[in-house]
């Protein structure tokens, strides 16, 4: 098929044939991968597509560049030999509830095995989840071992401070009816807003009401598991969990204007300790840079805060964000519990966060939280005290009563 014919074919399939039945229907919430059906976002075989969008999330644009430069064959399919998961996850009962997991494909890591026959026949089915094993080597963890806060056991924590983990990469897969219900809107309104706010990038949102699954071009989630992953089905195992939203400047480059990297490292240390004492530690890392407003907006806000009369002040912390972005926070944690459901969890014993936004999203989805763990004061960088003070003053940060019993516990939209 020529390039022009392929484009015409894609255009034609943007409207469903009257009365036609799709060869690969998706039944969200089914009890097995085969009953549910594969998620097919191929661009090489348009007749097989059963979703809106394409595989790879935000990286699909780079794939287009590779194709346009001649570096990648546009109809090439991946060879998935030996890419199967390095650890077993699920299935869990939450996978079978079409309202419980709506922002990821619970069967996404099993696509190659579950649909091997179809893949061998040429159907372009790709995993949306990958599970591997790795070791984390961070200087703060080496210091924790040297200081005696972490004990090396040779399995979870090694002598040099390296920590063994199972890490899981998850691309977003949105079930639109469930998304609409979660955000208390209609599927039609959700589709319309997605269509309009992407400047019509995905016409099938409004032309293909028969397609209920969307692969959005956004960043995904990475989960890091500490300890014996086979214990996940055992609900008596103590769970320590840190849910962390991306902050490239702090997490990677060590910027000291916020508590992001210190809180992340604190969470990793707590999770490692849980894993080596018979429990499980879980760090969930979401690509939601700058409260999902983006890094450009974040840096503009930094400038506005630093240059205002009187300098950076807690009283102006959120106002400056809203002046630039129009909203204080665009992360909307309603989707965050899906990863916790995917892991089969019903309780978190130690939640390493003082954010009520995260806490309420989890408990609102039926996940019990037993204890909340704040960042120790001595881990807060000097320049980040404005952030903490602003969140406490605005009621965006739940105050630990053991640290400050005179302050009431407030509402929290605290970033981390």
């Amino acid at each position: 098929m020529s390039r022009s014919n392929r484009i015409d074919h894609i255009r034609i399939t943007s409207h469903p044939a009257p009365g036609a039945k799709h060869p690969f229907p998706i039944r969200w919430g089914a009890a097995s991968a085969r009953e549910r059906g594969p998620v097919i976002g191929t661009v090489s075989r348009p007749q097989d597509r059963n979703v809106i969008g394409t595989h790879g999330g935000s990286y699909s644009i780079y794939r287009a560049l590779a194709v346009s430069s001649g570096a990648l064959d546009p109809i090439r399919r991946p060879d998935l030999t030996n890419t199967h998961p390095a650890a077993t996850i699920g299935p869990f009962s939450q996978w079978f509830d079409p309202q419980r997991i709506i922002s990821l494909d619970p069967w996404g890591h099993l696509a190659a095995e579950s649909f091997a026959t179809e893949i061998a026949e040429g159907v372009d089915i790709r995993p949306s989840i990958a599970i591997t094993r790795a070791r984390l080597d961070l200087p703060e963890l080496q210091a924790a071992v040297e200081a005696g806060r972490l004990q090396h056991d040779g399995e979870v924590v090694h002598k040099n401070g390296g920590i063994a983990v199972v890490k899981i990469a998850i691309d977003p897969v949105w079930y639109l009816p469930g998304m609409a219900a979660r955000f208390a809107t209609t599927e039609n309104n959700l589709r319309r807003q997605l269509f309009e706010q992407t400047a019509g990038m995905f016409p099938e949102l409004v032309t293909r009401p028969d397609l209920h699954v969307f692969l959005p071009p956004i960043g995904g989630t990475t989960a890091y598991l500490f300890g014996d992953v086979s214990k996940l089905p055992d609900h008596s195992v103590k769970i320590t969990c840190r849910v962390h939203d991306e902050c490239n400047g702090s997490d990677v480059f060590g910027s000291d204007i916020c508590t992001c990297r210190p809180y992340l490292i604190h969470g990793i240390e707590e999770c490692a300790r849980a894993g080596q004492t018979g429990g499980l530690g879980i760090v969930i890392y979401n690509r939601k840079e700058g409260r999902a407003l983006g890094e450009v907006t974040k840096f503009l806000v930094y400038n506005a805060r630093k240059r205002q009369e009187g300098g950076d002040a807690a009283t102006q912390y959120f106002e400056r964000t809203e002046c630039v972005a129009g909203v204080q926070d665009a992360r909307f944690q309603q989707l965050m519990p899906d990863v916790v459901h995917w892991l089969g969890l019903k309780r978190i014993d130690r939640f390493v966060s003082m954010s009520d936004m995260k806490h309420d999203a989890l408990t609102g989805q039926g996940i019990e939280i037993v204890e909340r763990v704040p960042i120790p004061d001595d881990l807060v960088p000097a320049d980040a005290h404005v952030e903490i003070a602003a969140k406490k003053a605005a009621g965006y940060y739940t105050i630990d009563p053991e640290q400050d019993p005179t302050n009431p516990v407030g509402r929290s939209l605290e970033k981390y």
Side-chain angles (χ1 to χ4, degrees):
M1 184 183 294
S2 69
R3 180 177 180 273
S4 61
N5 286 339
R6 278 202 309 273
I7 292 174
D8 288 341
H9 196 180
I10 291 171
R11 288 173 180 163
I12 290 170
T13 57
S14 68
H15 293 76
K21 291 185 178 181
H22 201 284
F24 301 104
I26 293 177
R27 302 177 181 88
W28 202 263
S32 71
R34 293 204 64 82
E35 290 177 77
R36 202 286 310 279
V39 170
I40 307 175
T42 179
V43 295
S44 62
R45 288 173 49 123
Q47 69 275 15
D48 294 339
R49 289 172 54 80
N50 61 3
V51 301
I52 303 163
T54 187
H55 296 290
S58 58
Y59 294 98
S60 61
I61 303 301
Y62 290 102
R63 188 168 66 240
L65 290 177
V67 171
S68 67
S69 67
L72 176 64
D73 181 350
I75 63 171
R76 185 188 182 279
R77 294 183 295 113
D79 179 355
L80 298 173
T81 303
N82 291 330
T83 63
H84 56 276
T88 299
I89 303 291
F92 298 108
S93 60
Q94 293 96 318
W95 295 18
F96 317 139
D97 184 341
Q99 298 300 320
R100 192 65 68 187
I101 298 177
I102 48 95
S103 65
L104 61 90
D105 175 9
W107 306 97
H109 57 309
L110 302 173
E113 293 74 29
S114 299
F115 302 103
T117 300
E118 289 81 358
I119 291 173
E121 293 172 349
V123 182
D124 188 5
I125 300 171
R126 306 187 183 197
S128 60
I129 299 175
I131 304 173
T132 190
R133 293 185 182 273
R135 184 179 297 187
L136 304 183
D137 287 309
L138 298 165
E140 293 95 333
L141 299 179
Q142 296 172 6
V145 171
E146 292 171 1
R149 293 197 311 273
L150 272 181
Q151 303 298 320
H152 62 84
D153 60 289
E155 293 185 10
V156 177
V157 180
H158 295 268
K159 190 173 183 179
N160 67 347
I163 297 181
V165 296
V166 168
K167 62 179 183 179
I168 305 164
I170 304 171
D171 279 341
V173 179
W174 288 4
Y175 177 57
L176 294 175
M179 293 281 292
R182 189 80 61 91
F183 283 88
T185 187
T186 64
E187 184 181 348
N188 183 62
N189 182 54
L190 175 63
R191 284 172 173 267
R192 174 62 61 179
Q193 297 308 320
L194 288 169
F195 174 75
E196 292 181 355
Q197 295 305 314
T198 57
M201 186 185 298
F202 300 98
E204 291 168 320
L205 285 165
V206 293
T207 64
R208 294 294 303 269
D210 59 313
L211 300 180
H212 295 288
V213 175
F214 177 40
L215 307 185
I218 61 174
T221 298
T222 309
Y224 296 82
L225 275 56
F226 304 74
D228 184 355
V229 176
S230 68
K231 293 180 178 180
L232 275 174
D234 184 352
H235 296 303
S236 68
V237 171
K238 301 294 184 183
I239 302 294
T240 296
C241 179
R242 166 71 182 163
V243 176
H244 192 92
D245 291 338
E246 177 184 28
C247 178
N248 185 62
S250 179
D251 296 342
V252 178
F253 293 100
S255 171
D256 66 351
I257 198 171
C258 58
T259 59
C260 302
R261 182 181 174 97
Y263 221 150
L264 175 60
I265 296 298
H266 176 55
I268 291 173
E269 187 174 327
E270 292 289 336
C271 287
R273 191 175 296 109
Q276 65 180 177
T277 55
L280 277 172
I282 300 167
V283 170
I284 297 170
Y285 193 92
N286 297 305
R287 278 11 177 250
K288 297 179 183 177
E289 178 64 61
R291 302 190 197 125
L293 298 170
E295 203 164 32
V296 170
T297 295
K298 178 195 283 190
F299 288 7
L300 293 174
V301 172
Y302 285 169
N303 287 344
R305 285 169 51 193
K306 296 291 186 178
R307 290 171 177 164
Q308 64 193 353
E309 186 177 351
D312 198 9
T315 54
Q316 301 296 314
Y317 179 85
F318 291 106
E319 180 182 338
R320 299 314 301 152
T321 301
E322 194 162 0
C323 285
V324 175
V327 65
Q328 293 181 4
D329 195 322
R331 288 171 301 161
F332 305 112
Q333 299 288 359
Q334 287 95 323
L335 302 180
M336 175 267 291
D338 286 22
V339 179
V340 179
H341 288 313
W342 180 71
L343 293 169
L345 303 180
K346 297 182 178 180
R347 186 196 69 256
I348 295 173
D349 296 278
R350 306 188 76 238
F351 185 50
V352 190
S353 172
M354 300 305 287
S355 164
D356 275 358
M357 194 178 190
K358 296 172 182 175
H359 172 277
D360 292 352
L362 289 164
T363 56
Q365 282 288 304
I367 298 165
E368 178 188 1
I369 293 179
V370 178
E371 176 190 1
R372 299 168 72 175
V373 182
I375 184 172
D377 285 340
D378 60 358
L379 294 183
V380 179
D383 206 22
H385 282 284
V386 169
E387 172 198 28
I388 296 296
K391 290 171 178 175
K392 288 181 178 180
Y396 279 30
Y397 186 99
T398 292
I399 299 168
D400 179 22
E402 291 186 3
Q403 290 186 346
D404 191 350
T406 65
N407 283 300
V409 174
R411 299 293 297 168
S412 167
L413 295 179
E414 179 249 351
K415 181 178 178 183
Y416 295 105

